[in-house]
Amino acid sequence: MLIKTPQRSQLIESDVTNESIYHDRRSLLKNMGFLGAGALMNAALSKNANAGFFSDEVPSFKTQPLSYKQDSANQGLVKTPEQKVISHNNFYEFGAKKDQPVELAQGFNVDPWKLTISGECDNPITLDYDDLTKLFPLEERIYRLRCVEAWSMVVPWIGFSLVDLLKKVAPNSRAKYVAFETLYDPKQMPGQANRRLGGGIKYPYVEALRIDEAMNPLTLMSVGLYGKTLPPQNGAPIRLVVPWKYGFKSIKSIVAIKLLEHQPSTTWKNLAPKEYGFYANVNPNHDHPRWSQESERRITSGGLFTRNRIATLPFNGYGEEVAHLYQGMDLSKHY
Ligand SMILES: Nc1nc2c(c(=O)[nH]1)N[C@H]1C(S)=C(S)[C@@H](COP(=O)(O)O)O[C@H]1N2
Ligand SMILES: [Mo]
């Protein structure tokens, strides 16, 4: 069924969301021929198309409470309200619109799950669903998350450092990169079955880090947020969180981690290499070709028209912990 989206609903959406950059990224996809009437049709069909930026829908997916050690250092950060964290998402496997994942991911099956860690290492392992929350003591990490689209949140993640997992598999001397892969299951992920709904991305979604970035203690394998296991729209049952890099590096619903000798291809860099680099370190001095990265819109408890533009910090404010990883590199070249 084809529905012609009235011009007006587009206006309402951009007014309400105030998210011109969101349209910018979609216009890239559109220019590349990926989005068209179909994507607008999806928007029109979406229950919340005109409900605004955040869904007030109560998600039906059942999360479980977790035991964890509180983040004592960062309790002073003003957190983005949970309802916003779980209803304003980028997870193109469940639709390229911000309010689609919370609607389309509620039936997602996370148990059983298999996560395989293999490649250039001495002890490859496969974890199942229970291992993800039981293998390591869990800690809360309250981190800023800066999307390349120039909005940001503060999220109380729960998880463990990736380095703990890497130590377990014992990388060998050829291991220079760590690659991550999201589940490929078009039956469960409608964006993988429908090219338009999925924003034209070639699936599975893949990401990677240099091994020293992966070993940095800030690099988190997250299994929860706000005290509970992750809801599917945020990447259940396990996702990466790399707080000094643009959000697209923080790959969701991971089924494979591979230690590699050579830098692998990664999803957004592959789609538009002039716009999205391999490193993707948050950098206010290197603009996206189509918009400035000098500032960001912090998503807070305020309403839709709250003034919440703040300056973007180099490495998203985590320079003390990570700037040394890039010493001697030209960050405008290695963006
Ligand atoms: N598999 C997968 N991982 C993904 C994405 C995606 O579309 N697919 N989007 C990324 C982007 S662009 C951002 S900003 C963050 C958003 O995480 P959140 O929805 O939990 O805030 O997830 C990242 N991880
Ligand atoms: Mo993002």
Side-chain angles (χ1 to χ4, degrees):
M1 182 175 56
L2 250 166
I3 296 174
K4 192 169 182 299
T5 308
Q7 213 50 29
R8 202 176 134 64
S9 77
Q10 281 178 60
L11 270 180
I12 289 168
E13 187 187 317
S14 64
D15 276 349
V16 172
T17 63
N18 190 20
E19 185 88 330
S20 55
I21 283 159
Y22 160 66
H23 290 285
D24 270 347
R25 210 179 194 189
R26 283 166 67 85
S27 77
L28 158 77
L29 297 169
K30 205 166 180 175
N31 289 337
M32 298 176 84
F34 292 133
L35 296 179
L40 296 174
M41 176 187 76
N42 288 322
L45 288 173
S46 157
K47 262 185 285 167
N48 288 325
N50 293 326
F53 203 22
F54 304 102
S55 168
D56 47 17
E57 195 157 301
V58 180
S60 57
F61 181 88
K62 290 276 169 281
T63 54
Q64 307 296 330
L66 290 169
S67 319
Y68 58 92
K69 180 167 148 275
Q70 275 208 338
D71 182 343
S72 52
N74 294 301
Q75 293 294 337
L77 284 175
V78 178
K79 291 179 230 167
T80 298
E82 181 176 2
Q83 181 59 28
K84 292 186 178 182
V85 173
I86 67 170
S87 64
H88 171 274
N89 301 101
N90 271 334
F91 199 170
Y92 280 35
E93 285 86 336
F94 294 102
K97 262 172 61 76
K98 299 283 178 286
D99 60 2
Q100 280 173 329
V102 68
E103 285 181 28
L104 300 178
Q106 295 311 305
F108 188 52
N109 241 326
V110 298
D111 183 9
W113 193 264
K114 289 246 174 293
L115 167 59
T116 302
I117 303 105
S118 63
E120 300 291 354
C121 63
D122 295 338
N123 308 314
I125 49 171
T126 297
L127 306 179
D128 65 22
Y129 181 78
D130 288 333
D131 295 330
L132 303 178
T133 51
K134 299 208 166 89
L135 211 55
F136 303 102
L138 300 178
E139 19 172 329
E140 176 189 40
R141 301 274 185 91
I142 305 174
Y143 282 162
R144 295 174 291 273
L145 174 78
R146 169 55 156 88
C147 178
V148 74
E149 298 163 327
W151 52 266
S152 65
M153 296 187 180
V154 174
V155 183
W157 303 109
I158 294 162
F160 53 87
S161 285
L162 174 59
V163 65
D164 294 337
L165 185 54
L166 292 177
K167 278 186 192 148
K168 226 180 167 56
V169 301
N172 65 33
S173 60
R174 284 182 302 276
K176 305 274 164 43
Y177 292 89
V178 184
F180 306 84
E181 196 172 303
T182 294
L183 178 71
Y184 182 74
D185 186 355
K187 286 209 180 79
Q188 289 208 74
M189 295 175 145
Q192 292 178 336
N194 178 327
R195 193 168 168 78
R196 283 170 175 155
L197 187 65
I201 283 180
K202 182 173 160 274
Y203 293 103
Y205 194 104
V206 285
E207 258 308 333
L209 298 170
R210 228 170 47 191
I211 189 119
D212 56 342
E213 300 177 317
M215 301 275 228
N216 187 280
L218 283 182
T219 304
L220 187 72
M221 294 302 293
S222 171
V223 295
L225 59 81
Y226 268 105
K228 293 157 289 199
T229 52
L230 289 172
Q233 61 273 26
N234 293 90
I238 189 161
R239 67 167 305 165
L240 184 68
V241 180
V242 194
W244 71 95
K245 293 179 179 283
Y246 291 122
F248 68 85
K249 298 295 288 185
S250 293
I251 179 173
K252 296 176 170 180
S253 305
I254 301 169
V255 293
I257 300 179
K258 280 181 203 138
L259 291 141
L260 301 174
E261 185 165 8
H262 301 290
Q263 185 182 308
S265 155
T266 49
T267 291
W268 279 96
K269 176 175 188 275
N270 191 35
L271 192 64
K274 293 204 172 75
E275 310 204 349
Y276 310 103
F278 174 79
Y279 285 95
N281 292 319
V282 175
N283 185 355
N285 305 314
H286 182 82
D287 286 340
H288 186 281
R290 291 178 291 121
W291 61 82
S292 164
Q293 295 291 26
E294 267 173 43
S295 68
E296 66 203 54
R297 189 173 54 80
R298 174 64 52 83
I299 297 175
T300 63
S301 58
L304 291 166
F305 300 103
T306 311
R307 285 228 151 266
N308 48 8
R309 264 285 127 205
I310 57 173
T312 289
L313 301 172
F315 302 109
N316 202 22
Y318 299 98
E320 250 178 64
E321 290 94 329
V322 300
H324 68 274
L325 298 171
Y326 311 101
Q327 244 163 35
M329 281 175 65
D330 179 352
L331 294 180
S332 61
K333 216 172 122 212
H334 299 283
Y335 54 85

